Amino acid sequence: MPYNVALIGGDGIGPEVAQEALKVIDATGVKLDVTSFDLGADRFLRTGEVLPDKTLDELRGFDAILLGAVGPAIGSKDIPAGTLERGLLLKLRFSLDLYINHRPFITPKSPIPSKFGDVDFVVIRENTEGTYAGEGGFLRKGTDAEIATQGSVNTKFGVERCVRYAFELAAMRPRKHLTLVHKTNVLTFSGDLWQRTFDGVASDFPEVETSYNHVDAACIYMVESPQRYDVIVTDNLFGDILTDLAGAISGGIGHAASGNLNPARTGPSLFEPVHGAAHDIVGTGKANPSAAIRSGALMLEFLGEREAANKIYSILGESSFDQGLTTSQIGDLIAERVSNAD
Ligand code: IPM
Ligand code: MN
């Protein structure tokens, strides 16, 4: 039985890299029945619609969603900031309860050794709460006395299910190490909830060694000694920022993949590269599809196709595929290697 996959190519280089991910999945022999959804900046500019409820309901029926990238070109005046981010991507994350953002970082082999050394760690980013929840608003907008607040929502339930997922993951990895990243010295309410929850769940996983880093210090460690990390768990905004940095030190953001997961499996999970729509390189063949391809492999793994996923992971680890090859040439090469892998 093929898996029913919804494809949201999205904007900019999104459709280009998503296509390569499908090409590589096809080479594994895993069959997908792909339905394309026209969502993103173009659709909004044409129709004024971002994600109609009817479309959201249709998406609920799929086994998984593969997304290229969404977002308007920087400076695009016709689309107010946040329209697509909040209206499409975050709406999907919240409505489908994709409460884990699972982001692996593995330095691919390269003829030029990375100045950060080789890393192999995973950031588990809480994906439905924090400052992303949209709590807040304006008072006296447009006046000199204007007030804007943007609160951070942290529920015991939301923090615990995220922390537990991270412990379960750490317990399955050889190093069995988990670092909580927060800012407990200043965010004494949310940080306290995170720390207490983390300590509470830790007692169920005596085999997992734990540490704690403040997020500012974690940025230094990420650059100076990222090998210390095995699994990191953190809140939504810290995770957003830290994973761009993690991408930059592990081969570049063109390699950073993510799974927006609903581990309770009450609906489809969504897989997408960490990078954005990169409108400036559309059509040039410069986009590295590695991140989208790894996201496709994460999708296969989550669907239970571990063997196919492992083939893709191992080929992605062999090379950074960024020396003079175009987007589709990289896809062809990886697909060919996947077909030849036994
Ligand atoms: C990411 C992106 C999104 C985020 C944006 C596009 C809403 O930066 O997936 O990391 O902030 O989560
Ligand atoms: Mn981001």
Side-chain angles (χ1 to χ4, degrees):
M1 280 286 277
Y3 296 100
N4 288 318
V5 170
L7 174 69
I8 304 175
D11 303 315
I13 59 167
E16 301 173 12
V17 294
Q19 216 43 57
E20 301 311 312
L22 292 176
K23 190 189 276 179
V24 170
I25 291 172
D26 195 49
T28 67
V30 174
K31 295 275 172 279
L32 305 184
D33 197 340
V34 178
T35 308
S36 284
F37 284 79
D38 171 26
L39 294 167
D42 291 345
R43 162 87 182 265
F44 175 72
L45 289 171
R46 257 191 357 260
T47 67
E49 289 172 317
V50 181
L51 177 60
D53 288 341
K54 191 174 149 284
T55 310
L56 176 59
D57 281 339
E58 272 174 59
L59 288 169
R60 288 184 201 279
F62 284 82
D63 295 320
I65 303 168
L66 188 66
L67 189 146
V70 295
I74 289 174
S76 163
K77 290 188 189 60
D78 300 325
I79 308 182
T83 306
L84 292 168
E85 292 82 350
R86 283 225 167 260
L88 180 52
L89 198 49
L90 299 185
K91 187 165 171 189
L92 286 170
R93 288 179 185 172
F94 297 165
S95 313
L96 301 174
D97 204 18
L98 307 177
Y99 58 91
I100 296 297
N101 201 325
H102 178 119
R103 297 185 158 181
F105 297 93
I106 302 159
T107 315
K109 282 201 197 83
S110 161
I112 312 143
S114 164
K115 59 184 174 197
F116 305 103
D118 291 344
V119 303
D120 181 352
F121 62 83
V122 183
V123 178
I124 300 305
R125 163 184 176 190
E126 199 293 318
N127 213 31
T128 53
E129 302 192 340
T131 45
Y132 278 68
E135 194 264 350
F138 296 107
L139 280 175
R140 305 193 286 260
K141 191 174 180 186
T143 72
D144 288 345
E146 175 165 351
I147 297 171
T149 62
Q150 190 106 41
S152 173
V153 174
N154 298 263
T155 69
K156 174 82 183 163
F157 167 77
V159 174
E160 175 154 358
R161 64 184 181 171
C162 174
V163 164
R164 193 165 287 281
Y165 177 89
F167 269 101
E168 281 166 4
L169 177 68
M172 286 186 307
R173 290 169 60 91
R175 282 178 62 194
K176 302 191 192 319
H177 189 274
L178 178 64
T179 307
L180 170 65
V181 170
H182 209 282
K183 185 75 185 173
T184 54
N185 54 343
V186 173
L187 305 182
T188 50
F189 309 133
S190 58
D192 191 71
L193 175 61
W194 273 83
Q195 183 76 67
R196 274 185 289 117
T197 306
F198 185 84
D199 294 344
V201 176
S203 59
D204 293 341
F205 295 87
E207 72 277 34
V208 175
E209 195 192 336
T210 60
S211 0
Y212 171 81
N213 294 161
H214 290 317
V215 65
D216 47 352
C219 291
I220 297 181
Y221 298 147
M222 188 65 78
V223 171
E224 291 192 340
S225 56
Q227 290 69 28
R228 71 177 60 217
Y229 293 122
D230 181 22
V231 181
I232 291 174
V233 65
T234 190
D235 90 347
N236 209 337
L237 183 59
F238 295 147
D240 177 48
I241 299 165
L242 207 56
T243 53
D244 266 24
L245 183 56
I249 61 102
S250 58
I253 200 73
H255 295 273
S258 77
N260 294 260
L261 308 180
N262 173 336
R265 297 182 191 260
T266 56
S269 292
L270 181 154
F271 300 82
E272 55 167 346
V274 174
H275 65 67
H279 290 266
D280 52 328
I281 57 166
V282 174
T284 64
K286 284 188 187 155
N288 189 331
S290 293
I293 293 170
R294 186 180 287 278
S295 303
L298 285 169
M299 176 175 86
L300 293 184
E301 186 182 348
F302 196 73
L303 289 171
E305 299 289 344
R306 182 171 289 272
E307 205 184 311
N310 283 343
K311 273 186 201 167
I312 301 176
Y313 295 146
S314 102
I315 289 155
L316 285 171
E318 284 166 13
S319 168
S320 55
F321 297 101
D322 47 15
Q323 282 97 40
L325 294 174
T326 65
T327 310
S328 65
Q329 285 170 339
I330 298 172
D332 287 343
L333 186 62
I334 297 177
E336 189 194 307
R337 291 190 187 172
V338 164
S339 325
N340 295 332
D342 34 81

